[in-house]
Amino acid sequence: MSSVICDAAVGSSNINRLKAWWLYRMLKTPNPLRERLTLAWHNHFATSNIKVQDVGMMRRQNDSLREHSAGRFEYLLRSMAHDPAVLVWLDADANRKEHPNENLAREIMELFTLGVGNYSEEDIKEAARALTGWTVKQGDFLNVAKRHDAGEKTIFGQTGKWNGDDFVTLLLEHSATPRRIAFRVCELLMGESTCEDSLVEELAVGLVEHDLDIGWAIETVLRSEAFFAAGNIRNRVLSPVEFIVGLIRCLEINSPLPSTLLLAETTANLGQDLFNPPNVFGWPGGRSWLTSRAIIGRANFASALINGELHSSRTPFDAAVLAERHNVGAEKLLPQVLLGSELPTGMKPLKKEPNQLVTAVLSSPEAFLG
Amino acid sequence: MPLNSTRRHFLRQSSLIAMAPAIPAFLRPAAHASAKNNDERILVVVQLDGGNDGINTVVPFANDGYPQHRKELQLKTNRLAKVNDEVALHRSLRPLADLLDDVQFSIVQGVGYPNPNRSHDVSMAIWQTARFDRDDHKSFGWLGRAMDEHREANASGAADSVLLGTESPPVALRGRRSTSVSLAHLGDLKLRGKLTPKTPNVDPNDDLLAFARRASLDARGTAALIDEVAGSASRDGAPYPDTQLAGRLSSIAQLIKSGFSTRVYYAIQSGYDTHAGQLPSHSRLLNELGGALKAFQDDLNSAGLSDRILTLCFSEFGRRAAENASLGTDHGTAGPVFVMGSKATPTSPTRVTKAVFCGVSGQKFPLHLLLDYF
């Protein structure tokens, strides 16, 4: 079903339909972690269709991100270095022997692997030369030999007749790369101050021993004491996509699902427009999700969802039915499921109005955190 | 009551101000503004979609060519709003003539680009990207790029640019690093119903939750602020006509007055693609434009903000001098640009400048103006 929707979205050339497809996938998948990882890598290799303007390319990138999301970082990085959407986004086609364009070289180091401070301006210039010749033709990666600068380059102090793939190898061997992957994994799974530097460092060392296996890093964090520590509970701001997908899954609003096109519009209004990250840095995330507009938007979304306004049938959510399904009173089920705690005193007067209570719980600051 | 003082009043009243060091992103610039004069300049762009007929907008009534080329579409001289002995504004733009007298309005004649392409898409893309090469047209816009340069100045968390309207965000606003949001209307910032329960006391050991609670309080403050400013706008003598463009400009004015640190606002008025039966539709469009611009400027003036705000009004191209056979005009090349605001003398102290073309680079007009302005 998911692939039918996806093919139709690509066929329509309408990026909004691809957004809706991905949300459908997140809502229905038996493997939510993989979708979260895919989203995290979409943020890491932040590519925007605003410039790419090709739904098919965005879908292929999304598939690659998913395929390699929990495998060895080498496969993920190599697939992104050859990814048509990335190359269009970072002006690879403008990088020719005579006039090197440094954008891809710069961002691959700053954002995809090493991070600022681990390379010089000279490294950027030389890496740009190594990357000359890479371009996109009719939607596919193409290496144009006559545009490639075949001379010697010195990158990170190592000299050779490096080409783009050699440069990627140098990046994979660089000590800053595992640290950055470790940081990304911790950022994804841990709360904002739970993730101590020593933990990131330890994870980075382990990553080197495990051939930069992302799956290993994820598993290690998920089994760690830190992950289960009290301080890691409700210590992360949920992104709009996590908030929306999480709520719908949690409230079991799945047959029928709300309109995923409307959901895609909502995530965009709340600050996370899929396939259109705001810039090369991806979404800034964390506390910056909680702008006034987004908080009002989250509360308004909760209200619309509970009132059934996101369904074509306009059927309101029935809190009583969900509570009955789980054999608990609504006043207990909801705060426990959504907040992991007792009902705050201020909400007690709403006990007799289950749907209002749900809306209030969903609009509360506690519901924005995970 | 000037709206500035509404904002100060709100901030003084607000318990949020008591949380000074921890004051959340949205109110920080507003609090700052209330503490001392905020001198950041703001650009408002009004895009006239469809290629406005410049010749019947800023009418060269004294030119012999005018009655020759415009036999059917000629505007009656006695009903025009004269600018000088040569040109006059279409009568529907009469409200703007007052602003001309106050030197708050400037007409830049004949703005275009070399070797004009008369396609709507291509012309608009050139305007929006300030670049000629088609390959550059799907990337970043001139405002987005300019905002990229000013990124550090806007660390408050507000978007760098805001489109007020339901249109797709224009290429002009796209930046690589800067951010842009679209608001269909201020309702996007309004809370449906109430966040009924009061938030419980903040646990000092729970930093992120404390932040989230404070941010929620702040959001309620924002909703209340928008309501308050919206409510007072109708009371304080800056009435807007009941048109779509006026509504959008009114919303922009409210956002500015509410203290948002956004530097660029954008609104689009469509319908200028007048190839047939042009006179009545063009008159209606300019009527909407003139009324909206005048109300907006009056509003900013009464809020004491006009020094900080410049409004730029452009269309992708003008129309040919000669009318066509169906009482309309066909795609032409250059056209007039309006610049409004008490600092609205971007190119020349004279209020009407002739033939200021973009220049060979194609970037001179818009970028030059903007960079000078910021």
Side-chain angles (χ1 to χ4, degrees):
Chain A
M1 184 65 180
S2 168
S3 64
V4 173
I5 298 175
C6 187
D7 291 343
V10 172
S12 74
S13 302
N14 180 347
I15 193 70
N16 292 327
R17 292 184 58 180
L18 197 70
K19 297 172 195 172
W21 157 74
W22 194 4
L23 285 165
Y24 177 89
R25 206 181 157 117
M26 293 182 205
L27 288 166
K28 289 285 195 183
T29 181
N31 189 351
L33 177 62
R34 187 162 286 262
E35 295 308 315
R36 261 186 75 186
L37 288 171
T38 309
L39 183 59
W41 292 125
H42 174 41
N43 189 42
H44 182 85
F45 296 97
T47 306
S48 169
N49 188 56
I50 284 275
K51 178 159 178 194
V52 175
Q53 300 267 307
D54 188 314
V55 178
M57 278 191 203
M58 296 310 290
R59 181 251 180 109
R60 276 173 63 186
Q61 185 186 59
N62 191 261
D63 286 344
S64 302
L65 293 172
R66 184 173 297 101
E67 185 189 344
H68 301 298
S69 61
R72 282 173 54 186
F73 185 70
E74 172 169 7
Y75 303 145
L76 180 62
L77 182 63
R78 289 201 188 278
S79 84
M80 285 303 109
H82 283 215
D83 183 72
V86 165
L87 297 181
V88 170
W89 170 238
L90 296 175
D91 307 303
D93 57 339
N95 187 16
R96 298 178 180 208
K97 174 163 65 175
E98 307 78 21
H99 306 286
N101 181 303
E102 295 170 5
N103 204 20
L104 176 60
R106 179 185 299 278
E107 308 299 19
I108 215 171
M109 288 193 274
E110 177 180 344
L111 305 169
F112 298 174
T113 55
L114 313 180
V116 174
N118 294 304
Y119 53 89
S120 66
E121 283 297 307
E122 200 52 34
D123 289 330
I124 294 176
K125 288 201 173 73
E126 295 285 278
R129 290 177 55 216
L131 290 164
T132 47
W134 284 13
T135 187
V136 176
K137 193 169 181 195
Q138 289 172 336
D140 287 320
F141 172 82
L142 184 71
N143 188 1
V144 184
K146 66 177 183 203
R147 287 190 203 159
H148 178 65
D149 180 341
E152 287 201 333
K153 302 107 187 165
T154 302
I155 305 174
F156 313 136
Q158 302 180 59
T159 306
K161 293 187 173 175
W162 310 125
N163 62 23
D165 291 321
D166 298 329
F167 169 52
V168 173
T169 305
L170 293 174
L171 291 168
L172 289 163
E173 289 166 355
H174 198 293
S175 62
T177 298
R179 278 210 302 275
R180 197 160 158 77
I181 307 167
F183 167 76
R184 279 298 202 193
V185 168
C186 288
E187 181 189 57
L188 175 73
L189 300 171
M190 311 279 283
E192 64 169 30
S193 53
T194 321
C195 198
E196 288 162 12
D197 288 352
S198 60
L199 204 108
V200 178
E201 201 54 48
E202 197 184 317
L203 198 63
V205 171
L207 271 165
V208 176
E209 288 163 4
H210 290 84
D211 294 326
L212 305 185
D213 184 341
I214 305 157
W216 171 86
I218 302 277
E219 208 180 316
T220 304
V221 173
L222 290 182
R223 287 177 194 280
S224 71
E225 280 179 26
F227 183 72
F228 290 100
N232 190 34
I233 309 291
R234 215 191 285 149
N235 201 26
R236 207 170 57 82
V237 180
L238 298 173
S239 78
V241 168
E242 289 171 326
F243 175 73
I244 284 177
V245 171
L247 283 190
I248 295 170
R249 286 188 76 117
C250 168
L251 296 177
E252 299 172 17
I253 305 178
N254 48 22
S255 60
L257 279 180
S259 156
T260 45
L261 273 170
L262 284 180
L263 293 181
E265 206 179 300
T266 309
T267 67
N269 284 334
L270 298 183
Q272 194 174 26
D273 192 8
L274 292 171
F275 301 110
N276 183 17
N279 51 40
V280 286
F281 304 115
W283 291 278
R287 294 180 182 214
S288 76
W289 288 128
L290 297 181
T291 63
S292 295
R293 179 173 177 240
I295 287 173
I296 292 165
R298 285 182 188 214
N300 289 346
F301 163 75
S303 158
L305 178 71
I306 298 306
N307 288 333
E309 290 165 33
L310 305 172
H311 282 87
S312 49
S313 61
R314 299 261 153 179
T315 319
F317 172 73
D318 195 331
V321 170
L322 179 69
E324 203 173 313
R325 202 181 299 149
H326 290 268
N327 216 7
V328 209
E331 78 283 357
K332 272 210 175 122
L333 175 93
L334 295 163
Q336 273 172 14
V337 169
L338 295 168
L339 305 176
S341 62
E342 292 296 307
L343 199 62
T345 356
M347 293 188 194
K348 287 195 174 144
L350 293 173
K351 269 187 185 171
K352 286 183 185 142
E353 306 282 346
N355 274 5
Q356 276 187 36
L357 178 64
V358 179
T359 308
V361 170
L362 300 183
S363 309
S364 70
E366 288 83 351
F368 305 152
L369 308 180
Chain B
M1 178 170 68
L3 286 159
N4 244 1
S5 60
T6 304
R7 185 179 63 206
R8 290 203 191 94
H9 172 76
F10 176 82
L11 288 165
R12 224 177 284 126
Q13 294 289 312
S14 169
S15 59
L16 298 170
I17 202 88
M19 304 181 183
I23 205 159
F26 164 74
L27 276 179
R28 208 178 300 125
H32 184 69
S34 72
K36 62 172 196 171
N37 280 338
N38 186 340
D39 58 358
E40 281 197 335
R41 291 181 171 195
I42 292 171
L43 180 72
V44 179
V45 179
V46 178
Q47 171 178 314
L48 311 182
D49 239 14
N52 176 36
D53 178 14
I55 290 170
N56 266 5
T57 303
V58 182
V59 185
F61 66 90
N63 189 310
D64 292 344
Y66 183 64
Q68 271 173 32
H69 290 299
R70 296 286 174 104
K71 288 195 168 58
E72 302 293 332
L73 297 185
Q74 194 185 137
L75 298 169
K76 288 195 174 60
T77 313
N78 59 0
R79 298 182 63 191
L80 295 171
K82 274 197 185 179
V83 174
N84 56 27
D85 292 340
E86 292 171 20
V87 297
L89 288 171
H90 187 290
R91 64 186 158 84
S92 293
L93 294 179
R94 199 175 291 279
L96 299 181
D98 298 344
L99 295 173
L100 270 172
D101 293 340
D102 299 338
V103 203
Q104 293 196 48
F105 187 73
S106 162
I107 302 164
V108 189
Q109 284 276 55
V111 183
Y113 54 92
N115 306 317
N117 179 315
R118 295 176 188 180
S119 139
H120 290 290
D121 284 351
V122 176
S123 284
M124 199 50 105
I126 289 171
W127 264 98
Q128 298 217 359
T129 58
R131 287 181 167 164
F132 287 111
D133 195 337
R134 289 210 70 166
D135 288 345
D136 289 330
H137 288 170
K138 59 185 186 183
S139 57
F140 304 108
W142 66 284
L143 290 165
R145 297 200 307 268
M147 290 294 100
D148 283 350
E149 299 292 311
H150 286 81
R151 199 67 196 98
E152 284 169 30
N154 185 13
S156 68
D160 294 290
S161 63
V162 172
L163 167 77
L164 227 300
T166 51
E167 296 88 354
S168 304
V171 181
L173 299 178
R174 290 181 196 161
R176 189 186 289 281
R177 287 163 192 254
S178 55
T179 55
S180 176
V181 300
S182 312
L183 296 178
H185 42 72
L186 288 188
D188 291 356
L189 289 166
K190 277 189 182 168
L191 198 58
R192 307 152 48 120
K194 298 208 186 314
L195 271 178
T196 321
K198 285 257 184 202
T199 36
N201 290 335
V202 174
D203 174 357
N205 297 318
D206 198 351
D207 283 347
L208 185 60
L209 184 57
F211 171 83
R213 285 174 174 160
R214 208 161 52 228
S216 289
L217 261 177
D218 178 22
R220 282 196 249 177
T222 301
L225 183 57
I226 293 288
D227 270 349
E228 183 163 352
V229 177
S232 60
S234 54
R235 291 195 305 269
D236 83 339
Y240 283 81
D242 184 16
T243 63
Q244 190 179 63
L245 183 65
R248 290 173 177 181
L249 290 179
S250 153
S251 296
I252 288 172
Q254 284 178 40
L255 290 174
I256 293 171
K257 287 183 287 186
S258 306
F260 277 76
S261 60
T262 295
R263 303 286 301 277
V264 173
Y265 293 89
Y266 207 98
I268 297 172
Q269 186 195 12
S270 52
Y272 284 90
D273 200 11
T274 49
H275 287 270
Q278 180 179 297
L279 276 184
S281 57
H282 194 232
S283 179
R284 179 183 55 75
L285 287 162
L286 294 182
N287 192 52
E288 177 175 357
L289 177 67
L293 288 177
K294 176 69 163 63
F296 182 60
Q297 194 61 25
D298 286 350
D299 193 0
L300 297 177
N301 279 331
S302 70
L305 288 167
S306 56
D307 281 1
R308 288 179 46 216
I309 291 132
L310 190 79
T311 304
L312 169 75
C313 182
F314 81 100
S315 190
E316 67 264 46
F317 43 62
R319 295 308 177 108
R320 289 186 219 165
E323 61 201 18
N324 64 24
S326 49
L327 299 178
T329 50
D330 292 316
H331 298 184
T333 57
V337 158
F338 296 153
V339 185
M340 183 173 77
S342 55
K343 301 269 195 240
T345 49
T347 50
S348 160
T350 56
R351 278 174 279 163
V352 180
T353 321
K354 274 192 180 171
V356 177
F357 283 86
C358 273
V360 182
S361 73
Q363 299 193 2
K364 200 173 167 192
F365 179 73
L367 287 180
H368 183 67
L369 171 68
L370 183 84
L371 295 177
D372 271 8
Y373 179 66
F374 286 116

